[in-house]
Structures are given as structure tokens and as C-alpha cells.
Amino acid sequence: MASDWLGSLVSLNCGPTLGVYQGEVSSVDQSSQTISLRQPFHNGVKCPVPEVTFSAIDIQELKILDIRSFNARAASSAAVKGSTVPVAVPKGDPRSVEKLNSPQQCSKSYGERHLDALGQPKGFRRRHNSWSSTSRGANQATPKKNGVKNGQMKNRDDECFGDGMDDGLDTDFDFEGNLALFDKAAVFSEIDTTERRNGARSRGTPQDQTPTRYRHDENILEGKPIVYRQITVPQSGHKEYCTDSGLVVPSISYELHKRLLSAAERYGLTLERRLEMTGVCASQMTLTLLGGPNRFTPKNLHQRPTVALLCGPHVQGAQGISCGRHLANHEVEVILFLPNFVKMLDAVTSELTLFNKTGGKQVSGIKDLPDTPVDLIINCLDCHENTFLMDQPWYRAAADWANQNRAPVLSLDPPVSGQGHAVEAKWSLSLCLPLPLAEGAGRVYLCDIGVPRQVFQEVGIKYHSPFGCKFVIPLHSA
């Protein structure tokens, strides 16, 4: 039985200390439990000795390799060295010896000789696991110089980079055959069935169904349907707006707006407190329009923005002065235009006293306003009740200067449509609930001045705050 293994090509794994050996079995001694390999390779490098003997206790794993791969390698090594080495070939094919010993066969690469020996066509594609000079085709071989030295270098490359094992991997993986065994329709059908059973949306399901994945800030619990009309007013038919989130914000008449503020004042939301809230909200919006954090940095102190405030002797003018005070405290160069009047409201006088402590500039004539465009104009000339002010010379002069300055205009608490707007505004800021403004008011914003919900209910308004986490929100025409 031991003689049956003679001439076989085997691989012996002797552990991490001795390493891996490959070679042809030359002898097997059952009594001493030893095996000898002829022309051995140690860890991919040819051994300097012609034969190595191993004990059974040193062998951890023994693999039987294809004998024909080793015979082909021996034939290739013999062709390079130019010497005659007896090579064993498979029985039943006497022509193999002639092919391996012929000059034509020796000039071929190892891959071509091996394919010829197996009777396969040259077009058959073969894979190799290691980078070896023997696995290159004739057209891919690196040009070499003539001489004995180059032949010795080639043998050294074969011994260094060839592991002596991939030559036995003659059978390629049949991709087409295995792909034909894969039933794609059945697999996808099983996936769809599993997704439907788990409640997940499968392929081809309409997009309007419940999504399977949610954002990190999205509520995953099923809640009540969203009600977008959360504010209702007693008089319907006025202009309506909507927020960025889709909430409907109806406009109210000036009479209802005045009743709302009067009710809030009875509960302690005095005019002074409303002026302060309006000034803070208007200044925050103004700072954002001027550039926000990109503009107001320590590196831009030499480029302070300039804002012109056009105010009249009324509550809207006092709101503008309050806004100018907060802007001046935030390093904005404020120029306040307020004509000289014999008597003004106490709220205007109080706000003017505070503004003069900020270092802002106050002028009473149009000639003292800048000739060059400013960064922003805040219009507080208009009043909800005293429309006769539009006929005053100072009002017309201030409106003409604003229209000729070419600076964008923010209108603070503008009057309802129908009264006319002498100054074309790009933005308008309304309080509590918007009034039905004209198209000349520009884009409408809404600010929260702190009116409680029950005060809205007292005047017949069902109110839920549309502001969310902000005090100033943009409105869009519904």
C-alpha cells in the first residue's frame, strides 16, 4: 500500500516551527513512520538538498496535490537549465514525453504547456493565486538579456515567488453554471413576503404610505392629525397668511387689533412693555437683515452698518426709537430723524431720552440725513389713525429721501391697506396678528409681543401661538 503513494505530489504542514514542505514522495517507511520527499520546496523556496525525510510526529497536516502539476514544473525547470532530468508523466499518454522534451514545448510558457498537456484549448482562461514569472504568458513576459546570469535570476524568481501549490488548481470556478442555479425570482419573492409580514414597505409600494425610516428629529409615535387652522377670528373674509410650517394666520381689522391691545393693557401689558418688546423684536430682525453673525464680528468693527430711522410723533415712532436704542447698543450706527414738535407723546419723550444715552445721532432736518445710501432704512412715519400727517412737508420730504436713497426699507407696524404707502417697503413687521396689508408692504413678518392666550379669547379670537421657538416669523400669502 505504501508504494501506491510513490511519485505523488504532496504538501506537508509541520507547524509554525518547521513550516510547509511540498515535493514528490520518494519513499514511505511504515515501520519507522517516516516519509521522504524528492526535490522539496520549503515555504515556497526550493531546498538546497535533493531529499528531505519527515517523521509522522512532526506532520500536522498532509495534502495530496495533483501529480501532473509537479511533473510540468519539473519539465519547465529542466528546459531552463538545459539539462536532462527524468520526469514522470501520467500513464496512458506517451505523447506527453515527446511534448515536454521537444524544443517547441520548452519555448512555451508553463501555462501553455500545462494546457496542452491537459488537452484544453489555448483560449481557455486560467486563474492563478500567486504572482509568479511562470504564470505569465509569452506576450506578457518581461524582456530579458541573454546570458547565464539571467537564467539564474529567473530560477531564483520562480523559487522566491512561486508557492508550488497553485499549479494544482486546474479546475476553474464555473460562474455561469452556478449563476444558472440561482433562482432570482424566487429569492426576491421571498424578500417581498418577509417585508410584508414585518410591516415594512416593499419595492414598488406607493410612496404615500407610512415610511419605514424616520429622521432623528421626527416623531415616531402616531399622534392626532395636524390642524393647520389653529387661529380663528370673529370676522372672516380678511386676508390670510401662512407660516413656514403651514399654519394659517388670519389677519384682523384695526378695530379688533386696538381692542386686543386695550384688553392686554388692562391686565398689565402696558404701552411701555409693548414698546420694549417691539423694539427688541424689530432690532433682532434688523440685525439679521444686516448680516447677522457674519457681519457683527470683532474683525468688522471698522465696517459698522448704518441704519436710518424715520420716526413720527406717535406710538409707531416710539416703537422705532426703541428699536434704534437696541441697535445702537449692538454697535450699529443709528441716525434718527424726528422733526421738532412743540408737544409729543410721553412715550416718545421717554424713548428719546433713553436713545440719547446710546451715542446715536438725532437729526430734525432732511438736509442732515446722509447723501450716500445707508445699509437699511426703518420707516416709522405712518400712523394708524392720523392720516393727515402724510400731507405735512416734513413727511413728504422724509418719504422722498427714503425713495431716492436706494437702500432697502423695513416698515415697522404699517397701517392697513387703503391708506397708501408713501415709502415702498421691502419688509414689514406686524404685531400680534397681521393687519390686511397692501402689496406695497413687501414681505410680511410677525412678532410676538407677549399677549396671553386668554386675552385673545376675551376679544373673541381662538388663538394658538404660531411662533414655535422664535419671536419673529415670516408670513406668506395664503
Side-chain angles (χ1 to χ4, degrees):
M1 295 296 293
S3 60
D4 296 340
W5 300 102
L6 298 180
S8 300
L9 179 61
V10 298
S11 175
L12 303 180
N13 185 0
C14 300
T17 304
L18 298 180
V20 179
Y21 288 83
Q22 297 93 19
E24 181 184 358
V25 179
S26 59
S27 66
V28 178
D29 191 346
Q30 296 181 351
S31 60
S32 60
Q33 293 292 307
T34 59
I35 184 173
S36 299
L37 300 184
R38 183 188 302 119
Q39 298 180 2
F41 283 80
H42 179 220
N43 294 333
V45 181
K46 189 174 182 180
C47 297
V49 295
E51 190 176 72
V52 180
T53 301
F54 301 90
S55 177
I57 60 176
D58 296 331
I59 301 175
Q60 296 184 1
E61 184 182 7
L62 187 147
K63 292 182 180 179
I64 305 298
L65 306 178
D66 191 356
I67 187 173
R68 288 176 292 183
S69 300
F70 181 79
N71 294 336
R73 175 179 294 183
S76 176
S77 176
V80 174
K81 294 182 178 180
S83 61
T84 60
V85 179
V87 179
V89 296
K91 298 181 180 180
D93 192 2
R95 294 175 294 177
S96 299
V97 179
E98 299 177 0
K99 291 181 180 180
L100 293 175
N101 293 332
S102 61
Q104 181 180 1
Q105 183 71 15
C106 293
S107 62
K108 296 181 180 180
S109 64
Y110 162 72
E112 293 177 346
R113 294 196 306 271
H114 188 59
L115 292 176
D116 292 343
L118 294 178
Q120 296 175 343
K122 293 182 179 180
F124 182 79
R125 187 175 179 180
R126 185 176 184 272
R127 299 176 181 268
H128 294 276
N129 295 331
S130 61
W131 178 256
S132 173
S133 60
T134 59
S135 63
R136 300 173 182 169
N139 297 330
Q140 298 177 341
T142 304
K144 301 178 180 179
K145 299 180 180 180
N146 296 328
V148 179
K149 182 177 180 180
N150 291 328
Q152 295 176 354
M153 292 296 295
K154 182 180 184 303
N155 293 335
R156 293 177 59 184
D157 292 342
D158 293 343
E159 296 173 359
C160 179
F161 296 104
D163 55 8
M165 296 180 62
D166 54 308
D167 294 335
L169 304 178
D170 296 329
T171 304
D172 282 355
F173 182 76
D174 189 1
F175 288 96
E176 296 182 359
N178 284 270
L179 183 60
L181 299 176
F182 175 68
D183 192 352
K184 185 185 301 184
V187 172
F188 282 115
S189 177
E190 183 180 354
I191 294 175
D192 292 341
T193 304
T194 305
E195 289 181 350
R196 293 192 188 97
R197 186 182 300 110
N198 295 335
R201 183 176 62 84
S202 60
R203 298 174 293 107
T205 307
Q207 296 293 331
D208 55 354
Q209 293 187 2
T210 304
T212 58
R213 294 185 179 181
Y214 297 86
R215 300 192 311 270
H216 67 280
D217 57 348
E218 189 173 0
N219 187 14
I220 63 174
L221 300 178
E222 294 184 1
K224 298 180 180 180
I226 301 176
V227 179
Y228 291 98
R229 188 176 293 274
Q230 300 180 359
I231 302 175
T232 57
V233 296
Q235 297 95 356
S236 59
H238 294 288
K239 191 174 182 180
E240 289 186 341
Y241 301 89
C242 63
T243 64
D244 290 339
S245 58
L247 298 178
V248 179
V249 180
S251 62
I252 59 176
S253 62
Y254 174 68
E255 290 74 14
L256 183 58
H257 190 270
K258 186 166 57 173
R259 286 172 49 199
L260 177 63
L261 296 182
S262 299
E265 191 168 359
R266 289 198 307 267
Y267 290 104
L269 190 60
T270 60
L271 176 61
E272 289 77 10
R273 300 179 69 174
R274 298 201 307 268
L275 291 177
E276 190 67 19
M277 284 294 301
T278 304
V280 171
C281 293
S283 61
Q284 287 182 349
M285 180 178 176
T286 302
L287 293 174
T288 302
L289 295 176
L290 292 174
N294 297 326
R295 181 76 179 272
F296 294 91
T297 61
K299 297 181 180 180
N300 287 339
L301 292 179
H302 62 288
Q303 297 179 347
R304 296 174 58 187
T306 303
V307 174
L309 270 169
L310 307 180
C311 299
H314 38 62
V315 176
Q316 282 70 29
Q319 293 172 350
I321 299 173
S322 175
C323 174
R325 169 167 55 89
H326 289 289
L327 291 177
N329 291 336
H330 286 266
E331 303 299 329
V332 177
E333 185 177 351
V334 180
I335 303 175
L336 171 62
F337 169 76
L338 180 65
N340 291 323
F341 293 96
V342 178
K343 185 179 180 180
M344 293 184 294
L345 293 176
D346 293 339
V348 176
T349 304
S350 300
E351 291 295 336
L352 189 60
T353 302
L354 289 174
F355 175 80
N356 291 330
K357 298 299 181 180
T358 63
K361 182 179 180 181
Q362 179 187 357
V363 297
S364 58
I366 299 299
K367 64 180 185 305
D368 297 326
L369 291 174
D371 297 331
T372 58
V374 294
D375 292 276
L376 183 67
I377 297 175
I378 299 180
N379 178 24
C380 302
L381 297 173
D382 298 308
C383 179
H384 293 288
E385 297 177 349
N386 299 328
T387 58
F388 65 91
L389 291 177
M390 300 180 65
D391 300 329
Q392 299 294 323
W394 62 266
Y395 183 97
R396 293 196 301 267
D400 292 340
W401 177 88
N403 292 328
Q404 295 175 4
N405 190 264
R406 301 195 304 273
V409 178
L410 169 62
S411 183
L412 183 57
D413 194 13
V416 297
S417 60
Q419 297 186 10
H421 297 275
V423 180
E424 194 75 16
K426 187 174 182 180
W427 307 282
S428 293
L429 182 62
S430 297
L431 314 180
C432 298
L433 287 176
L435 301 175
L437 303 179
E439 296 297 333
R443 187 174 182 182
V444 181
Y445 284 76
L446 188 66
C447 72
D448 182 13
I449 61 173
V451 179
R453 180 186 299 181
Q454 293 184 2
V455 177
F456 283 95
Q457 295 177 356
E458 186 173 324
V459 297
I461 300 176
K462 181 183 177 182
Y463 181 82
H464 289 272
S465 175
F467 292 95
C469 62
K470 300 180 180 179
F471 283 88
V472 180
I473 58 174
L475 297 180
H476 312 279
S477 297

